[in-house]
Amino acid sequence: PSVKEGLVQCLALGADRAVLLTDRALAGSDTLATARALALALDKESPDLIVCGRNSADAETGQVGPELAELMGLPHISQVRKLDYEPDTNSIIAERATDEGHQVIQCSLPAVVCVTEGIAPELFPNREEMAAAQAIPVEELSCADLSQDASIFGASGSPTWVEDIRLVEPNRLAEVITDADPQTAASQVANQLKQRLQVLAADQESSVIPDNSVRYPYVRGQSIWVVSETQGSELRHVTLEMLGKARELTTASTHSEVVAVLIGSNDQNLIDDLTAQGADLVLTLDNSNLGPVCGRGVSQVLADAIEAAHPYAVLFASTADGRDLASRIAARLKLGLTGDAIDLEINAQGQLVQLKPALGGNVIAPILSKTLPNLVTLRPGLLTPTAADNSAEALVEAIVAPSFSDHDITVLETHRIADMGAIALTQAQVVLGVG
């Protein structure tokens, strides 16, 4: 009920109607339960275009928009920073920000878009507009208006749940230099940085590199899948990190094979790299007749493959494509999805514990899933790859990919940043900012 004020402001800014979905039964909803409630409400409206934000104010996962689109059987475009309408074709043209630049994408309506800040000039209502909006009634919907089955909402309808949070002792130094002239202060900063780097180097040397020699090929009962990502002709570093974590989990707990999924051309060099970095099986998915990784075609084919194999876990990167692909698969298979995890562990009960930071990193929230396989997106730059084993061998199989002709997005242009410094920044061990 407290958000009515925000809806009144939307009416003052030009909205014709306001609908408030409010019910105590929604308490404890994760992203899938939230998307389910929104999908049932929006199905009643049959909209041509659904506009969501990039992510919600209290989380960075960006999952609800793609999950909403999948539940409604619609295409979606995320990370939209520019949006135009083409009346002749009843379609939209969008600029989608990616980790390497941006894409220009066309999509016929109906569709879902998730927009970033700056999509349009910011507006503010005046006093007269707010007064007029106060007179417009806000429609209300409850869960009973959406479904007779209340168990699909809230905590009961959420496939993920949060275990007892863990407090983290912060290791940040908050040292302020005030009583020194600029030259002396600069020297003090330099000396402290050198000392700090020595400590970090010692910590890195003592860190345990996942064992790449112990493998369990053909043991598929509890296999762990890694959906790889490429950057040009090479694997993205986050792919190596996820393979290292998968290798660690299978060695310590599941005693099963590690499966790498390669979407795109059947590049032997990439297959060899995946094998050397820990894959026992490489599944190739040619998406030339399916569309882009963030589209409906790839998500449906990969979801079918996951459902058929029923692995223990599927790991995605917390990137533009990884979030979109994981979200659509989770919604399609009604599985729990933890976004932006920083680490994984398996508890004594054999459950995958997905660790997420909260409250500025001072708290770690362990997330568990009620469903299998476990789906998780992992934040780049935090996990340790294995040492490459170039003598390793892996089986290579192709995922059958029939052409996809249903309503989907079309990538018209792909632009990559000439200076890849921003990508290098995400992989740097140490980042120094001066201002």
Side-chain angles (χ1 to χ4, degrees), residues 273-305:
D273 289 342
L274 290 169
T275 303
Q277 292 293 155
D280 300 307
L281 168 65
V282 178
L283 295 177
T284 60
L285 175 55
D286 181 0
N287 64 327
S288 56
N289 293 323
L290 294 175
V293 174
C294 58
R296 296 179 67 196
V298 169
S299 66
Q300 288 192 18
V301 170
L302 186 53
D304 290 345

Side-chain angles (χ1 to χ4, degrees), residues 235-398:
L235 295 173
R236 291 183 65 117
H237 194 265
V238 65
T239 299
L240 312 186
E241 296 173 24
M242 292 191 295
L243 284 168
K245 176 52 66 173
R247 194 79 271 155
E248 177 187 326
L249 294 174
T250 57
T251 301
S253 299
T254 63
H255 300 157
S256 57
E257 69 178 1
V258 172
V259 179
V261 180
L262 178 61
I263 302 173
S265 60
N266 198 351
D267 189 316
Q268 188 60 48
N269 290 329
L270 294 177
I271 293 172
D272 292 341
D273 289 342
L274 290 169
T275 303
Q277 292 293 155
D280 300 307
L281 168 65
V282 178
L283 295 177
T284 60
L285 175 55
D286 181 0
N287 64 327
S288 56
N289 293 323
L290 294 175
V293 174
C294 58
R296 296 179 67 196
V298 169
S299 66
Q300 288 192 18
V301 170
L302 186 53
D304 290 345
I306 291 171
E307 188 174 35
H310 203 68
Y312 173 76
V314 184
L315 314 184
F316 303 81
S318 287
T319 58
D321 283 347
R323 290 189 184 100
D324 284 354
L325 182 58
S327 299
R328 294 202 72 114
I329 290 173
R332 185 174 182 82
L333 300 180
K334 299 179 177 60
L335 297 175
L337 169 62
T338 300
D340 254 5
I342 60 171
D343 203 358
L344 304 172
E345 58 190 38
I346 296 178
N347 63 20
Q349 291 73 43
Q351 298 168 299
L352 184 68
V353 182
Q354 300 140 75
L355 304 176
K356 285 196 62 168
L359 300 179
N362 294 327
V363 165
I364 296 294
I367 313 293
L368 296 123
S369 181
K370 305 172 188 175
T371 55
L372 287 175
N374 297 278
L375 302 186
V376 57
T377 64
L378 288 159
R379 191 177 297 181
L382 296 176
L383 302 175
T384 306
T386 66
D389 180 3
N390 294 316
S391 65
E393 297 182 356
L395 189 66
V396 180
E397 296 179 1

